Amino acid sequence: MMKDIAKVLFTEETIAARVKELGSQINKDYEGKELIVVGVLKGALMFMADLIREIKTPLRFDLIAVSSYGASTSSSGIVRIIKDIDMSIENEHVLVIEDIVDTGLTLKYLMKTLASRQPASLKSCVLLDKPSRRKTEITPDYSGFSIPDWFVVGYGLDFAQRYRQLPVIAVLKPEAYNIGNSQEKEES
Ligand code: PRP
């Protein structure tokens, strides 16, 4: 698998240090409060698992899965919930955890949908941000790393569902995906 990697962008140590920093910031901001953390499947799995272990605030977590309507999704912005959270978030402090914000359409839709359920507060925490790809105005409340428009995999991020188990975040060799340089939504 490592043969498909052009370069490692963030090592395990770098990721862990940044996750720790994000955890400290969240601990400060939510001191004395309780949280509901909503992880977005599948990409946020590793990030959420590591981040919540840095959070000292009492929390409950749930998972949500969204899917795009086929190939036109990234332009249409149509997102569909394929697995909703099980718990009510009304009057709760909610933190949405995403692996990456690219066009911003998924996060925007999620925030709008969750906001309509009347939480006490609603914020987002993303590990990676690609601001140059944005198609809608949205800024995550917490962001791990800002990156250029590179195709990245690992630590939960996939290409065609593969490479998620890499402990690092890496750039794939073009020949490994061969579809141009935008983060296509393959098979998800
Ligand atoms: C990725 C990522 C975000 C979304 C970001 O999910 O986890 O949910 O794309 O893209 P956007 O800002 O352009 O909307 P993906 O559909 O690849 O599913 P996955 O998490 O299961 O890999």
Side-chain angles (χ1 to χ4, degrees):
M1 205 164 40
M2 289 309 276
K3 72 174 178 9
D4 298 335
I5 298 306
K7 79 170 180 175
V8 171
L9 212 51
F10 303 113
T11 63
E12 286 183 71
E13 293 73 23
T14 306
I15 297 169
R18 188 69 186 117
V19 168
K20 224 178 197 9
E21 283 174 3
L22 289 171
S24 306
Q25 189 61 51
I26 291 166
N27 287 332
K28 230 190 270 168
D29 296 350
Y30 288 94
E31 205 183 334
K33 295 183 177 142
E34 265 202 58
L35 257 179
I36 291 184
V37 167
V38 176
V40 186
L41 291 169
K42 304 170 188 162
L45 202 68
M46 278 70 165
F47 178 43
M48 184 180 93
D50 287 343
L51 182 66
I52 60 175
R53 283 179 284 182
E54 300 296 338
I55 299 178
K56 310 297 172 218
T57 309
L59 66 79
R60 289 169 286 162
F61 74 78
D62 207 336
L63 296 162
I64 195 164
V66 291
S67 173
S68 329
Y69 280 116
S72 62
T73 319
S74 54
S75 49
S76 68
I78 300 169
V79 178
R80 173 172 59 111
I81 293 180
I82 45 180
K83 185 238 167 277
D84 206 341
I85 49 173
D86 301 320
M87 47 183 81
S88 163
I89 56 168
E90 196 176 340
N91 297 323
E92 304 285 350
H93 297 287
V94 177
L95 182 63
V96 175
I97 312 275
E98 261 285 28
D99 55 344
I100 190 163
V101 57
D102 187 4
T103 64
L105 296 169
T106 305
L107 189 59
K108 183 108 176 188
Y109 169 83
L110 270 173
M111 298 302 272
K112 198 174 135 200
T113 302
L114 295 175
S116 72
R117 300 179 189 180
Q118 320 289 336
S121 72
L122 179 63
K123 283 188 181 182
S124 59
C125 178
V126 310
L127 180 64
L128 301 175
D129 189 1
K130 280 187 183 176
S132 67
R133 292 263 305 159
R134 215 60 108 244
K135 285 187 178 157
T136 183
E137 213 171 292
I138 186 150
T139 308
D141 297 287
Y142 304 95
S143 166
F145 305 100
S146 198
I147 59 167
D149 185 17
W150 289 335
F151 198 102
V152 290
V153 296
Y155 196 66
L157 290 140
D158 72 310
F159 168 64
Q161 302 299 330
R162 298 200 172 80
Y163 307 101
R164 291 192 200 271
Q165 87 262 38
L166 287 176
V168 299
I169 294 170
V171 180
L172 267 190
K173 285 181 185 160
E175 56 265 38
Y177 56 88
N178 205 22
I179 51 160
N181 66 349
S182 58
Q183 197 99 40
E184 293 291 330
K185 292 174 176 30
E186 283 267 322
E187 298 175 22
S188 38

